[in-house]
Amino acid sequence: MLRLFKSKTEKLMKKYRILLIDDHKILLEGTQSLLSGLEDYEVAAAASSGKKAIELLKTQDFDILVTDYELPDFSGLEIIKIAHSINPDIKVIVLSMHDDPSVVRDLLKENIDSFVLKNDAHSSLMQALDKVTSGKKYFSDEISEILVRQLNAPTEKSDLSPRETEIIKLIARDFSTKQIAEVLFISEKTVETHRKNILRKIECSTLVGLVNYAHAHNLV
């Protein structure tokens, strides 16, 4: 009888195991510290690269994946696909600074459970955790606005965002990734992410094709 009571108690006290992924050490440690004080959740492991995250996903069981979209070796999208292939029931929360509509669309296709922007209050992440563990979806206000705009005015696959248009213009003018990052005050990694999104949208795989597209659409 005592053993049965103990077993039930342990089951009730079980915390949701979180895998946290972010390549920014300060943000990783800050989020980990924030989550460590929660009663129902625990950061069971943390990773600063996609390779490490995949190793953890293959060797440990997690209930929730909280991941950035942009990592040094894999994209968050790739990590999510791998996570779902390993554990179809894992809940996925994207915690990112990217609010590009094309990024949001791609992530939604992978059946994510939540998208929270890094500039949102910590309470948004708390709400996301509570929502996804109760079987619901949660999107921060800015992401929700993007989704509403897409429903009211759907765009073609090849449409470029204002930022992508800026970048394709600079690429066509033979600016390097480093130069584009300096001009637009963004990281080189962000430039590369936008470049990949541009190539995907215009259905092109080469720099020459990208430049030709820019000239054909009077972007230079």
Side-chain angles (χ1 to χ4, degrees):
M1 184 70 178
L2 180 60
R3 176 184 288 184
L4 179 61
F5 176 76
K6 182 177 180 181
S7 175
K8 288 182 177 179
T9 302
E10 288 175 346
K11 187 175 182 180
L12 289 171
M13 292 176 62
K14 181 185 176 182
K15 293 188 175 185
Y16 291 103
R17 289 170 53 82
I18 298 173
L19 171 58
L20 181 61
I21 310 171
D22 199 307
D23 64 323
H24 294 89
K25 185 177 180 181
I26 294 177
L27 291 175
L28 184 67
E29 292 178 350
T31 306
Q32 191 167 5
S33 176
L34 173 69
L35 299 179
S36 65
L38 299 179
E39 182 178 351
D40 299 323
Y41 307 93
E42 66 170 332
V43 178
S48 57
S49 70
K51 181 179 179 181
K52 179 62 177 177
I54 293 169
E55 290 177 2
L56 290 167
L57 285 164
K58 289 180 176 179
T59 57
Q60 297 187 39
D61 292 325
F62 300 99
D63 302 299
I64 305 169
L65 170 65
V66 179
T67 182
D68 192 359
Y69 174 76
E70 198 173 86
L71 299 167
D73 48 357
F74 289 85
S75 72
L77 192 62
E78 291 170 315
I79 298 298
I80 292 167
K81 289 180 179 179
I82 293 170
H84 277 149
S85 68
I86 295 172
N87 178 9
D89 296 324
I90 194 168
K91 300 296 183 181
V92 176
I93 297 174
V94 175
L95 183 61
S96 178
M97 62 181 287
H98 287 282
D99 59 356
D100 188 308
S102 65
V103 170
V104 177
R105 283 198 301 270
D106 287 344
L107 288 169
L108 287 175
K109 289 177 184 177
E110 289 307 314
N111 197 30
I112 63 171
D113 299 280
S114 176
F115 194 132
V116 178
L117 292 177
K118 286 184 176 179
N119 60 2
D120 284 342
H122 288 161
S123 59
S124 291
L125 181 55
M126 304 299 101
Q127 291 181 59
L129 288 168
D130 290 340
K131 288 287 187 181
V132 303
T133 52
S134 62
K136 299 177 181 178
K137 303 282 187 180
Y138 178 84
F139 300 98
S140 59
D141 290 343
E142 289 182 50
I143 298 301
S144 295
E145 289 176 7
I146 289 173
L147 297 178
V148 170
R149 287 200 300 271
Q150 288 180 352
L151 286 173
N152 292 335
T155 57
E156 294 299 321
K157 184 179 179 181
S158 60
D159 283 351
L160 301 178
S161 69
R163 176 64 85 189
E164 289 166 346
T165 301
E166 288 179 313
I167 290 175
I168 197 172
K169 287 180 179 179
L170 293 171
I171 291 174
R173 290 169 57 190
D174 203 28
F175 276 56
S176 67
T177 297
K178 183 178 180 180
Q179 289 172 323
I180 293 173
E182 291 174 349
V183 169
L184 299 180
F185 301 101
I186 56 179
S187 70
E188 292 181 41
K189 189 166 62 173
T190 298
V191 174
E192 288 300 326
T193 298
H194 282 304
R195 186 198 297 264
K196 290 178 183 177
N197 288 334
I198 292 169
L199 291 172
R200 174 179 52 76
K201 284 184 176 183
I202 67 176
E203 298 182 338
C204 175
S205 59
T206 66
L207 180 61
V208 173
L210 187 152
V211 173
N212 289 338
Y213 177 93
H215 283 283
H217 290 79
N218 299 314
L219 297 178
V220 290

